[in-house]
Amino acid sequence: MPSASTGAPVTTGAAASVPATADSGQAAADSRMAPGGPGYRRMSFALFLAGVATFALLYSTQALLPLVSADFGASAGEASWTVSAATGGLALFVLPMSALSERFGRRTLMTASLAVAVTVGLLVPFAPSIGALVALRAVQGAALAGLPASATAYLAEEVRPKALITAIGLFVAGNSVGGMSGRIITGWVAQEWGWRVAVGTIGLIAVGCAVAFRLLLPAPRHFTRGSLRPRVLARTVRGHLANPLLCRLYAIGALFMMVFGGVYTVIGYRLAAAPFSLPQGLVGSVFLVYLVGTVSASTAGRLAGRLGRRGSLYLAGATTTAGLLLSLAGSLALVLLGLVLITAGFFAGHAVASSSVSHTAKEGRAQASALYQSAYYIGSSAGSTLGAVAFHAGGWAGTVAMGLFAVLGVVSITLFGSRAARTAARGVPAPAPAH
């Protein structure tokens, strides 16, 4: 999904594994895949299906939380952990998975990750308690961390540079389609047969995607096996975390995702209750709003070209704020319009922040992007839980207040970057802007 929709920022750092000399580099480039060439369509469709499976599984319970709450007698906060545990597991394991892919290979790790995730997905419908469900979802999220950790590296190694953005775009599209369709399918299936059948249906769809992925994905030809060197990895990570520019970008991504995760975790409770009282199928269909985010993220580059990175973040924050305030209205049409604005603002802000990470990091870009993904999904987990707790304490207004506080953090961090940039321009030593 621009990385804003699906949670995986684009990086081409892995392309460094291709020999750099002119002659050998040209030969390597000639043997890599390109549109119309052997294996390119198979590779593109395989990774598209992997993206669909990943995000359909990751957020499979989000549209079903009211039903989960009713089945287990759990509060909104307790049920929200079925989402938070999955995204939290992904956040914690994406960096270790990126290291394992260097040793065991991208395709091998992606295959193993999907195999574990879909197996757990078939067990989820039989969870006997809310605690067991949360535990299964945490394992599922940890397994899925192998996909964003390896997919972009595989593409950077196996696809010609001129075709790389298009190839990654197809993987991102799979993320977006999986995240949206998974929520919509579960909503309509659950309306007729309950949440357990709904998540089981997603599990079966993911099994089909995983099998097709493994059969279609071409064997890697340009992967160079590395060794697991914890000291080198730790040194790279420490260097990124010591960079105030990157840390501000990580914080911005996490804060934007807090808003998004909180809103979409709780919105089902609001729409299913009076005065709207929507059936579960229509509640799930609300996630069609994700299509707005796909458009928003794709235009973020042009927006940044006109307003600059900081200007784009200010606009994204303002759009998100307007959407949050509008969603307080008692009219369903205004609530849906508010969701449109929240979604557009979030995806635009995430696209700008995630692309800025690759722009800022001059070395160790794979690890820099993995850290951004970790922060992003930590923000998702925190937003899901805090949004549900705020909803339990103060209704939808409580969730909106949590979102506004997160947006204030984004604006404050961006303002600090703007002031630092002006100070640096006057020749006074100061930290460079974050974006």
Side-chain angles (χ1 to χ4, degrees):
M1 45 190 183
S3 345
S5 321
T6 69
V10 174
T11 173
T12 59
S17 63
V18 178
T21 62
D23 292 338
S24 64
Q26 184 61 46
D30 288 343
S31 65
R32 284 180 284 175
M33 288 181 281
Y40 183 84
R41 286 186 178 180
R42 289 177 54 210
M43 176 275 300
S44 298
F45 189 49
L47 287 176
F48 175 85
L49 292 175
V52 169
T54 298
F55 281 82
L57 290 171
L58 188 63
Y59 292 104
S60 60
T61 63
Q62 192 174 55
L64 306 175
L65 295 184
L67 299 181
V68 173
S69 290
D71 189 17
F72 292 121
S75 68
E78 291 171 330
S80 72
W81 276 103
T82 65
V83 179
S84 300
T87 53
L90 194 154
L92 291 175
F93 279 84
V94 66
L95 190 59
M97 288 291 195
S98 71
L100 289 175
S101 75
E102 299 286 349
R103 177 67 179 85
F104 299 105
R106 321 300 185 190
R107 188 173 73 157
T108 299
L109 187 64
M110 288 189 285
T111 300
S113 294
L114 274 177
V116 173
V118 299
T119 300
V120 174
L122 297 178
L123 297 176
V124 165
F126 303 100
S129 66
I130 188 69
L133 179 58
V134 169
L136 286 171
R137 294 283 290 152
V139 173
Q140 195 171 47
L144 289 171
L147 269 296
S150 306
T152 54
Y154 175 92
L155 289 169
E157 291 163 353
E158 305 299 331
V159 176
R160 296 184 188 182
K162 289 185 178 180
L164 184 58
I165 293 177
T166 300
I168 291 178
L170 290 172
F171 175 66
V172 167
N175 294 344
S176 178
V177 170
M180 178 183 68
S181 61
R183 293 165 170 95
I184 293 173
I185 291 171
T186 55
W188 284 104
V189 173
Q191 180 174 306
E192 298 296 328
W193 296 288
W195 74 268
R196 293 179 186 272
V197 175
V199 295
T201 300
I202 292 300
L204 291 174
I205 292 172
V207 169
C209 290
V211 171
F213 161 81
R214 186 60 181 84
L215 293 175
L216 290 172
L217 190 69
R221 300 176 60 190
H222 301 282
F223 170 71
T224 301
R225 188 183 304 275
S227 61
L228 293 176
R229 300 163 63 187
R231 290 184 180 180
V232 175
L233 177 63
R235 185 164 57 246
T236 301
V237 170
R238 283 197 302 269
H240 291 327
L241 294 178
N243 185 331
L245 316 182
L246 288 174
C247 286
R248 289 199 286 271
L249 291 169
Y250 298 154
I252 286 172
L255 289 168
F256 265 125
M257 192 54 171
M258 277 185 66
V259 181
F260 195 68
V263 165
Y264 277 99
T265 294
V266 172
I267 191 62
Y269 288 97
R270 187 181 187 208
L271 295 179
F276 306 118
S277 302
L278 297 183
Q280 186 63 44
L282 288 179
V283 170
S285 296
V286 166
F287 290 95
L288 283 169
V289 173
Y290 266 45
L291 295 175
V292 175
T294 302
V295 175
S296 170
S298 65
T299 59
R302 292 195 295 271
L303 186 66
R306 295 182 180 181
L307 303 179
R309 294 178 185 272
R310 288 186 296 275
S312 299
L313 289 173
Y314 286 132
L315 181 58
T319 302
T320 304
T321 298
L324 287 167
L325 295 175
L326 196 59
S327 72
L328 291 168
S331 164
L332 180 60
L334 291 179
V335 171
L336 294 178
L337 179 57
L339 289 177
V340 167
L341 294 177
I342 292 168
T343 304
F346 160 71
F347 275 106
H350 169 52
V352 172
S354 62
S355 64
S356 296
V357 170
S358 295
H359 176 78
T360 301
K362 302 305 180 186
E363 58 184 18
R365 286 178 174 169
Q367 285 71 40
S369 292
L371 286 170
Y372 180 86
Q373 291 176 46
S374 293
Y376 176 79
Y377 284 109
I378 288 172
S380 176
S381 297
S384 296
T385 300
L386 293 176
V389 170
F391 181 78
H392 181 73
W396 182 251
T399 302
V400 168
M402 185 277 293
L404 291 173
F405 184 79
V407 174
L408 178 62
V410 170
V411 173
S412 298
I413 293 170
T414 307
L415 180 61
F416 177 82
S418 298
R419 295 181 63 181
R422 287 195 295 268
T423 301
R426 291 196 297 266
V428 178
H435 4 287

